[in-house]
Amino acid sequence: LATASRSGRPVWIVGHIPPGIETFAYTELWQPQYLRAYLDIVQDPELGSVIAAQLFGHVHADEFRVLPAAPAGAGPVLLTGALSPIYHSNPTFRLVEYDESTGRLLNVK
């Protein structure tokens, strides 16, 4: 992120299990020390401002999250629902349009 910040290049963070609380059973998904370290990075004014999007799965519904102290220019945190016969969920997917020159999301469907 520091290199991206210095060169003005946007980045996307893509992961499986998102930070925060699982909305089906309301349980913490990350241990507190890892969540705090992650938030320290993504909410940092210099580093967080180059994060154009954060995309995660694992949860059982389409969701978006808001960072408690998102820096200016920080992109959205989008969660896409997992397919699971246990939770009776249907397959989900997202189509994202983005600006090739800035890496910023333009539209999410």
Side-chain angles (χ1 to χ4, degrees), residues 9-74:
R9 294 189 60 189
V11 299
W12 290 12
I13 295 176
V14 179
H16 177 78
I17 299 176
I21 296 174
E22 199 277 320
T23 53
F24 184 79
Y26 302 105
T27 57
E28 291 286 341
L29 293 169
W30 290 15
Q31 293 183 12
Q33 68 269 28
Y34 301 128
L35 179 59
R36 180 77 256 147
Y38 186 76
L39 290 175
D40 286 347
I41 293 168
V42 299
Q43 294 182 148
D44 179 89
E46 180 184 334
L47 300 177
S49 64
V50 299
I51 301 172
Q54 297 182 57
L55 309 172
F56 294 94
H58 186 76
V59 296
H60 301 285
D62 284 339
E63 301 177 22
F64 69 93
R65 303 256 168 108
V66 178
L67 293 172

